[in-house]
Structures are given as structure tokens and as C-alpha cells.
Amino acid sequence: MTPPSEPRTKQLTRVLSQLWRRVFGAADVGLSASGGVTRKSANWVPIRSLSSRHKPRIARHLRALPAQDRYLRFGYAATDEQIDRYVAGLNFKRDEIFGVFNRRLELVAMAHLAYSVDPQWATCAEFGVSVSSHQRGKGFGAKLFGHAVMHARNQGVNLLFIHALSENVAMLKIARHAGAAVQRDGSESEAYLSLPQATLDSQISGLVQEQMAELDYQLKMQANQFRQWLATVQEIRQGVRDARQTSRGP
């Protein structure tokens, strides 16, 4: 007689095997509008959840955005002071903020998934994203959007909202590609994406990707610390060589 738990055990094993191949096969995991998992590109991007301790990095990333990018991200030409207020007001307990770090642990792309504070709209969330100008063309915006969709689904969100300027072609293209309905009202556009319910696949996928991104971050941190140590050692060695040369005289 087949144990009652066997079908779920087989399902879990199958999902874990698929996730192992996706992550270690360096394939990006995306979500279609119908909730299916798709392979989007050959490059996996580690997307890490941010916390309040990352506020200085977030501020540096946003402050480094050129005027036009600030305009597209916030809907107005945000000043440094306005960006600082935005960063100070981030609620890491309620919302989810994700980021992509380069090998030097500089934040080069980030997304803000803001959950509704109104109980009437408890199953709704808003998405916003920014990418450093020198990191364009790598698909970070689309990858962050897919990551946010997965997390939103797992939190019970069924409607994802995007408010963007109509000239923000890149963001609206990402939304349309995901199946969102886009409504234009003059200089502004609104996109609505209905999300399917969470599945075992989406829940485990979110967990695995989070763990892999954390491992990637820790490795980058160790590498960065080693480079700093190596630079210090080389500086000391050079100082010793210079001192010896001086003591020998001309």
C-alpha cells in the first residue's frame, strides 16, 4: 500500500531537482503570467533581500542616478535631499527591497515591492525599480521584476501595480511582456498584473534563490576583504623596500 505522504514526497523531490538544475545550471528563473516557471536567460543574477543596514548603499545607488533616471524612477526630478528622505522612510518590516551587488559589493540595481497599508487592498502591491546607468542592457530590471512577482505571489498578493511615466519605455515593456494590462493617461501610465496563487514550486524557488543570493553575497564580501588585506600587505612590502633602498643610500 502506498503511504499517503509519498505523492507529496515525490513532488518535493521533483521540484528540488528542477531548482538544482536551474540554479547551478546558471539559468535565470522567471515567471510567466500564467504562473509557470520559464528559463529567461543563460545568466543567473543573485538578487538579495536588503535590510535597514543597507540604507547607506541604497542612498549611494539612488544618488548616483543621473537626473533623467531619477525622473523616471520617482516621477519627478528628485533631489539628493528627497532621495535621502525616501531612503529614511523605507519600511523593511512591511515591504520587500531587493538588490543586485557587483563584485565590490556596490549596489547596482534595486527594486522596491511595497505592500498596501490599507486592509481593503491587502492583496495588492506596487513595484518600483532602478538600475545604475553603467549596468544597463544586462536585464537587471526584468530579473528584479520576475523576482518581485515570485515574492509577491508567495505573500498572497494577487494584483501587482506599477505606476510609471509613459516615457519610461523600458519599465512598461517589462510589464507588458509579463502580461500586464497597461493604461495610459497622458504623461503617466499604470500597469496591472494579476498574479496566480503561490505553488510549492514558487515557494521553494524563492527560498533557494534567496539562499543562493546570500551565499553569493558572503563570497563577494570575503573576496573584497581579501583584496583589502592584500592591498595593505603590498603597501607594507613596498614601504619596507623603500626603507631598505633609502638606508643603502645612492
Side-chain angles (χ1 to χ4, degrees):
M1 183 175 179
T2 303
S5 60
E6 186 172 330
R8 184 171 180 82
T9 302
K10 287 184 177 181
Q11 182 186 18
L12 180 60
T13 301
R14 175 180 57 80
V15 171
L16 287 174
S17 297
Q18 291 173 348
L19 289 172
W20 180 271
R21 289 194 296 270
R22 289 175 194 145
V23 174
F24 291 96
D28 180 40
V29 177
L31 295 171
S32 66
S34 60
V37 181
T38 60
R39 296 167 68 92
K40 294 171 118 179
S41 73
N43 298 316
W44 175 70
V45 174
I47 299 174
R48 190 180 189 276
S49 293
L50 306 181
S51 63
S52 58
R53 68 187 179 89
H54 293 108
K55 281 187 175 182
R57 284 190 172 97
I58 294 174
R60 281 197 296 271
H61 163 70
L62 294 174
R63 277 170 162 258
L65 294 176
Q68 179 64 13
D69 289 355
R70 294 187 185 193
Y71 175 64
L72 294 178
R73 171 60 183 88
F74 296 102
Y76 60 94
T79 63
D80 288 348
E81 292 73 19
Q82 289 170 324
I83 286 176
D84 290 341
R85 286 199 294 271
Y86 164 79
V87 175
L90 289 174
N91 190 330
F92 292 89
K93 293 183 179 180
R94 182 195 66 211
D95 299 340
E96 293 189 79
I97 295 92
F98 310 106
V100 177
F101 292 89
N102 64 12
R103 65 186 183 90
R104 296 190 179 279
L105 294 182
E106 297 168 337
L107 188 64
V108 296
M110 65 164 287
H112 185 180
L113 184 61
Y115 295 103
S116 174
V117 296
D118 189 338
Q120 182 180 357
W121 308 104
T123 58
C124 299
E126 183 178 8
F127 173 81
V129 66
S130 58
V131 179
S132 297
S133 56
H134 62 284
Q135 295 290 336
R136 299 287 171 75
K138 298 182 178 180
F140 287 165
K143 294 175 190 295
L144 283 165
F145 182 74
H147 193 78
V149 166
M150 179 179 61
H151 275 262
R153 289 179 65 198
N154 292 339
Q155 292 298 320
V157 172
N158 57 34
L159 185 63
L160 189 62
F161 172 75
I162 302 167
H163 182 88
L165 295 173
S166 297
E167 59 192 279
N168 194 343
V169 178
M171 185 67 255
L172 295 177
K173 181 179 179 181
I174 292 173
R176 286 193 177 95
H177 184 71
V182 179
Q183 298 178 353
R184 179 170 180 171
D185 183 14
S187 62
E188 299 182 351
S189 293
E190 295 179 346
Y192 303 88
L193 179 63
S194 296
L195 305 182
Q197 291 184 347
T199 62
L200 180 63
D201 194 339
S202 70
Q203 291 172 343
I204 297 179
S205 181
L207 178 62
V208 171
Q209 290 193 50
E210 188 72 23
Q211 293 299 319
M212 290 302 299
E214 177 62 26
L215 175 60
D216 175 85
Y217 184 85
Q218 294 300 326
L219 291 174
K220 286 177 179 175
M221 180 180 293
Q222 292 177 17
N224 201 38
Q225 292 172 345
F226 176 74
R227 281 194 296 268
Q228 293 175 356
W229 172 81
L230 188 61
T232 301
V233 171
Q234 291 173 340
E235 184 178 349
I236 293 174
R237 287 176 178 173
Q238 185 61 44
V240 171
R241 285 193 289 267
D242 292 344
R244 287 175 178 173
Q245 186 66 30
T246 302
S247 64
R248 290 172 183 170

mmCIF file of all heavy atoms in Angstrom, residues 44-68:
data_model
loop_
_atom_site.group_PDB
_atom_site.id
_atom_site.type_symbol
_atom_site.label_atom_id
_atom_site.label_comp_id
_atom_site.label_asym_id
_atom_site.label_seq_id
_atom_site.Cartn_x
_atom_site.Cartn_y
_atom_site.Cartn_z
ATOM 1 N N TRP A 44 22.425 33.603 -14.462
ATOM 2 C CA TRP A 44 21.706 33.757 -13.205
ATOM 3 C C TRP A 44 22.240 34.983 -12.490
ATOM 4 O O TRP A 44 23.454 35.182 -12.394
ATOM 5 C CB TRP A 44 21.895 32.517 -12.336
ATOM 6 C CG TRP A 44 21.286 32.659 -10.976
ATOM 7 C CD1 TRP A 44 19.965 32.704 -10.669
ATOM 8 C CD2 TRP A 44 21.988 32.785 -9.731
ATOM 9 N NE1 TRP A 44 19.782 32.840 -9.317
ATOM 10 C CE2 TRP A 44 21.006 32.897 -8.721
ATOM 11 C CE3 TRP A 44 23.334 32.816 -9.377
ATOM 12 C CZ2 TRP A 44 21.336 33.031 -7.368
ATOM 13 C CZ3 TRP A 44 23.659 32.950 -8.044
ATOM 14 C CH2 TRP A 44 22.669 33.055 -7.059
ATOM 15 N N VAL A 45 21.359 35.824 -12.003
ATOM 16 C CA VAL A 45 21.741 37.028 -11.278
ATOM 17 C C VAL A 45 21.344 36.871 -9.809
ATOM 18 O O VAL A 45 20.170 36.663 -9.506
ATOM 19 C CB VAL A 45 21.055 38.277 -11.872
ATOM 20 C CG1 VAL A 45 21.344 39.504 -11.017
ATOM 21 C CG2 VAL A 45 21.539 38.518 -13.295
ATOM 22 N N PRO A 46 22.300 36.954 -8.894
ATOM 23 C CA PRO A 46 21.966 36.850 -7.469
ATOM 24 C C PRO A 46 21.243 38.103 -6.985
ATOM 25 O O PRO A 46 21.819 39.194 -6.983
ATOM 26 C CB PRO A 46 23.332 36.690 -6.788
ATOM 27 C CG PRO A 46 24.301 37.319 -7.735
ATOM 28 C CD PRO A 46 23.757 37.096 -9.116
ATOM 29 N N ILE A 47 20.008 37.943 -6.590
ATOM 30 C CA ILE A 47 19.191 39.052 -6.086
ATOM 31 C C ILE A 47 18.989 38.849 -4.597
ATOM 32 O O ILE A 47 18.414 37.847 -4.170
ATOM 33 C CB ILE A 47 17.845 39.118 -6.818
ATOM 34 C CG1 ILE A 47 18.077 39.361 -8.324
ATOM 35 C CG2 ILE A 47 16.971 40.230 -6.246
ATOM 36 C CD1 ILE A 47 16.817 39.308 -9.157
ATOM 37 N N ARG A 48 19.460 39.780 -3.816
ATOM 38 C CA ARG A 48 19.468 39.634 -2.363
ATOM 39 C C ARG A 48 18.468 40.573 -1.708
ATOM 40 O O ARG A 48 18.304 41.715 -2.118
ATOM 41 C CB ARG A 48 20.863 39.934 -1.825
ATOM 42 C CG ARG A 48 21.078 39.586 -0.364
ATOM 43 C CD ARG A 48 22.505 39.931 0.049
ATOM 44 N NE ARG A 48 22.828 39.428 1.360
ATOM 45 C CZ ARG A 48 22.533 40.050 2.503
ATOM 46 N NH1 ARG A 48 21.914 41.214 2.446
ATOM 47 N NH2 ARG A 48 22.856 39.529 3.663
ATOM 48 N N SER A 49 17.808 40.079 -0.677
ATOM 49 C CA SER A 49 16.917 40.937 0.106
ATOM 50 C C SER A 49 17.759 41.919 0.914
ATOM 51 O O SER A 49 18.795 41.553 1.478
ATOM 52 C CB SER A 49 16.057 40.093 1.052
ATOM 53 O OG SER A 49 15.158 39.294 0.326
ATOM 54 N N LEU A 50 17.339 43.167 0.950
ATOM 55 C CA LEU A 50 18.064 44.207 1.673
ATOM 56 C C LEU A 50 17.398 44.477 3.014
ATOM 57 O O LEU A 50 16.204 44.239 3.191
ATOM 58 C CB LEU A 50 18.120 45.491 0.840
ATOM 59 C CG LEU A 50 18.674 45.343 -0.584
ATOM 60 C CD1 LEU A 50 18.703 46.704 -1.279
ATOM 61 C CD2 LEU A 50 20.054 44.712 -0.576
ATOM 62 N N SER A 51 18.182 45.000 3.930
ATOM 63 C CA SER A 51 17.682 45.349 5.257
ATOM 64 C C SER A 51 18.072 46.790 5.568
ATOM 65 O O SER A 51 18.737 47.462 4.766
ATOM 66 C CB SER A 51 18.250 44.393 6.309
ATOM 67 O OG SER A 51 19.661 44.514 6.381
ATOM 68 N N SER A 52 17.692 47.245 6.739
ATOM 69 C CA SER A 52 17.960 48.640 7.105
ATOM 70 C C SER A 52 19.452 48.956 7.132
ATOM 71 O O SER A 52 19.850 50.109 6.920
ATOM 72 C CB SER A 52 17.336 48.957 8.464
ATOM 73 O OG SER A 52 17.837 48.082 9.461
ATOM 74 N N ARG A 53 20.292 47.954 7.367
ATOM 75 C CA ARG A 53 21.740 48.216 7.391
ATOM 76 C C ARG A 53 22.290 48.548 6.002
ATOM 77 O O ARG A 53 23.430 49.001 5.877
ATOM 78 C CB ARG A 53 22.487 47.033 7.998
ATOM 79 C CG ARG A 53 22.478 45.773 7.166
ATOM 80 C CD ARG A 53 23.110 44.623 7.948
ATOM 81 N NE ARG A 53 23.110 43.382 7.211
ATOM 82 C CZ ARG A 53 24.077 42.998 6.386
ATOM 83 N NH1 ARG A 53 25.109 43.793 6.186
ATOM 84 N NH2 ARG A 53 24.021 41.840 5.775
ATOM 85 N N HIS A 54 21.478 48.290 4.976
ATOM 86 C CA HIS A 54 21.909 48.605 3.613
ATOM 87 C C HIS A 54 21.496 50.022 3.181
ATOM 88 O O HIS A 54 21.721 50.400 2.027
ATOM 89 C CB HIS A 54 21.328 47.596 2.623
ATOM 90 C CG HIS A 54 21.866 46.211 2.782
ATOM 91 N ND1 HIS A 54 21.123 45.173 3.295
ATOM 92 C CD2 HIS A 54 23.094 45.696 2.509
ATOM 93 C CE1 HIS A 54 21.845 44.072 3.312
ATOM 94 N NE2 HIS A 54 23.040 44.359 2.849
ATOM 95 N N LYS A 55 20.899 50.789 4.065
ATOM 96 C CA LYS A 55 20.439 52.123 3.700
ATOM 97 C C LYS A 55 21.546 52.996 3.094
ATOM 98 O O LYS A 55 21.295 53.697 2.098
ATOM 99 C CB LYS A 55 19.808 52.820 4.908
ATOM 100 C CG LYS A 55 18.385 52.369 5.200
ATOM 101 C CD LYS A 55 17.764 53.209 6.304
ATOM 102 C CE LYS A 55 16.293 52.838 6.513
ATOM 103 N NZ LYS A 55 15.653 53.679 7.550
ATOM 104 N N PRO A 56 22.757 53.008 3.651
ATOM 105 C CA PRO A 56 23.812 53.833 3.024
ATOM 106 C C PRO A 56 24.090 53.418 1.583
ATOM 107 O O PRO A 56 24.294 54.283 0.721
ATOM 108 C CB PRO A 56 25.027 53.571 3.928
ATOM 109 C CG PRO A 56 24.437 53.218 5.264
ATOM 110 C CD PRO A 56 23.210 52.430 4.940
ATOM 111 N N ARG A 57 24.092 52.114 1.297
ATOM 112 C CA ARG A 57 24.328 51.649 -0.068
ATOM 113 C C ARG A 57 23.164 52.029 -0.977
ATOM 114 O O ARG A 57 23.354 52.384 -2.145
ATOM 115 C CB ARG A 57 24.544 50.133 -0.086
ATOM 116 C CG ARG A 57 25.923 49.691 0.409
ATOM 117 C CD ARG A 57 26.124 48.215 0.116
ATOM 118 N NE ARG A 57 27.482 47.785 0.394
ATOM 119 C CZ ARG A 57 27.869 47.201 1.512
ATOM 120 N NH1 ARG A 57 26.977 46.996 2.470
ATOM 121 N NH2 ARG A 57 29.119 46.826 1.695
ATOM 122 N N ILE A 58 21.941 51.924 -0.455
ATOM 123 C CA ILE A 58 20.770 52.305 -1.244
ATOM 124 C C ILE A 58 20.832 53.789 -1.596
ATOM 125 O O ILE A 58 20.570 54.180 -2.741
ATOM 126 C CB ILE A 58 19.470 51.986 -0.466
ATOM 127 C CG1 ILE A 58 19.316 50.472 -0.301
ATOM 128 C CG2 ILE A 58 18.250 52.570 -1.181
ATOM 129 C CD1 ILE A 58 18.141 50.073 0.587
ATOM 130 N N ALA A 59 21.177 54.601 -0.610
ATOM 131 C CA ALA A 59 21.269 56.043 -0.842
ATOM 132 C C ALA A 59 22.338 56.366 -1.882
ATOM 133 O O ALA A 59 22.129 57.207 -2.767
ATOM 134 C CB ALA A 59 21.567 56.768 0.472
ATOM 135 N N ARG A 60 23.496 55.691 -1.798
ATOM 136 C CA ARG A 60 24.568 55.934 -2.775
ATOM 137 C C ARG A 60 24.122 55.541 -4.184
ATOM 138 O O ARG A 60 24.407 56.243 -5.153
ATOM 139 C CB ARG A 60 25.827 55.156 -2.379
ATOM 140 C CG ARG A 60 26.647 55.793 -1.277
ATOM 141 C CD ARG A 60 28.051 55.227 -1.213
ATOM 142 N NE ARG A 60 28.049 53.808 -0.862
ATOM 143 C CZ ARG A 60 28.079 53.349 0.378
ATOM 144 N NH1 ARG A 60 28.095 54.196 1.406
ATOM 145 N NH2 ARG A 60 28.096 52.056 0.618
ATOM 146 N N HIS A 61 23.419 54.412 -4.272
ATOM 147 C CA HIS A 61 22.935 53.963 -5.580
ATOM 148 C C HIS A 61 21.970 54.974 -6.193
ATOM 149 O O HIS A 61 22.105 55.360 -7.358
ATOM 150 C CB HIS A 61 22.246 52.601 -5.431
ATOM 151 C CG HIS A 61 21.366 52.237 -6.589
ATOM 152 N ND1 HIS A 61 21.863 51.909 -7.836
ATOM 153 C CD2 HIS A 61 20.006 52.163 -6.695
ATOM 154 C CE1 HIS A 61 20.864 51.641 -8.655
ATOM 155 N NE2 HIS A 61 19.725 51.793 -8.002
ATOM 156 N N LEU A 62 21.000 55.417 -5.426
ATOM 157 C CA LEU A 62 19.992 56.345 -5.939
ATOM 158 C C LEU A 62 20.581 57.726 -6.203
ATOM 159 O O LEU A 62 20.213 58.393 -7.186
ATOM 160 C CB LEU A 62 18.821 56.437 -4.958
ATOM 161 C CG LEU A 62 18.005 55.156 -4.780
ATOM 162 C CD1 LEU A 62 16.965 55.329 -3.677
ATOM 163 C CD2 LEU A 62 17.327 54.752 -6.092
ATOM 164 N N ARG A 63 21.488 58.174 -5.364
ATOM 165 C CA ARG A 63 22.110 59.487 -5.556
ATOM 166 C C ARG A 63 22.977 59.501 -6.821
ATOM 167 O O ARG A 63 23.168 60.554 -7.438
ATOM 168 C CB ARG A 63 22.983 59.847 -4.352
ATOM 169 C CG ARG A 63 22.219 60.446 -3.169
ATOM 170 C CD ARG A 63 23.120 60.549 -1.959
ATOM 171 N NE ARG A 63 22.591 61.476 -0.965
ATOM 172 C CZ ARG A 63 23.023 62.701 -0.788
ATOM 173 N NH1 ARG A 63 23.983 63.177 -1.562
ATOM 174 N NH2 ARG A 63 22.511 63.470 0.155
ATOM 175 N N ALA A 64 23.503 58.331 -7.186
ATOM 176 C CA ALA A 64 24.365 58.250 -8.375
ATOM 177 C C ALA A 64 23.563 58.236 -9.673
ATOM 178 O O ALA A 64 24.153 58.368 -10.757
ATOM 179 C CB ALA A 64 25.241 56.999 -8.298
ATOM 180 N N LEU A 65 22.254 58.077 -9.591
ATOM 181 C CA LEU A 65 21.437 58.070 -10.797
ATOM 182 C C LEU A 65 21.451 59.451 -11.446
ATOM 183 O O LEU A 65 21.314 60.464 -10.755
ATOM 184 C CB LEU A 65 19.990 57.691 -10.461
ATOM 185 C CG LEU A 65 19.727 56.272 -9.956
ATOM 186 C CD1 LEU A 65 18.252 56.121 -9.590
ATOM 187 C CD2 LEU A 65 20.122 55.230 -10.998
ATOM 188 N N PRO A 66 21.610 59.514 -12.761
ATOM 189 C CA PRO A 66 21.537 60.818 -13.442
ATOM 190 C C PRO A 66 20.131 61.394 -13.349
ATOM 191 O O PRO A 66 19.173 60.689 -12.994
ATOM 192 C CB PRO A 66 21.921 60.484 -14.885
ATOM 193 C CG PRO A 66 21.696 59.028 -15.036
ATOM 194 C CD PRO A 66 21.923 58.415 -13.692
ATOM 195 N N ALA A 67 20.001 62.664 -13.662
ATOM 196 C CA ALA A 67 18.728 63.376 -13.484
ATOM 197 C C ALA A 67 17.564 62.687 -14.198
ATOM 198 O O ALA A 67 16.469 62.546 -13.646
ATOM 199 C CB ALA A 67 18.879 64.817 -13.967
ATOM 200 N N GLN A 68 17.792 62.222 -15.437
ATOM 201 C CA GLN A 68 16.723 61.589 -16.203
ATOM 202 C C GLN A 68 16.271 60.283 -15.548
ATOM 203 O O GLN A 68 15.074 59.972 -15.502
ATOM 204 C CB GLN A 68 17.185 61.329 -17.639
ATOM 205 C CG GLN A 68 16.150 60.646 -18.530
ATOM 206 C CD GLN A 68 14.908 61.501 -18.762
ATOM 207 O OE1 GLN A 68 14.900 62.696 -18.456
ATOM 208 N NE2 GLN A 68 13.862 60.893 -19.303
#
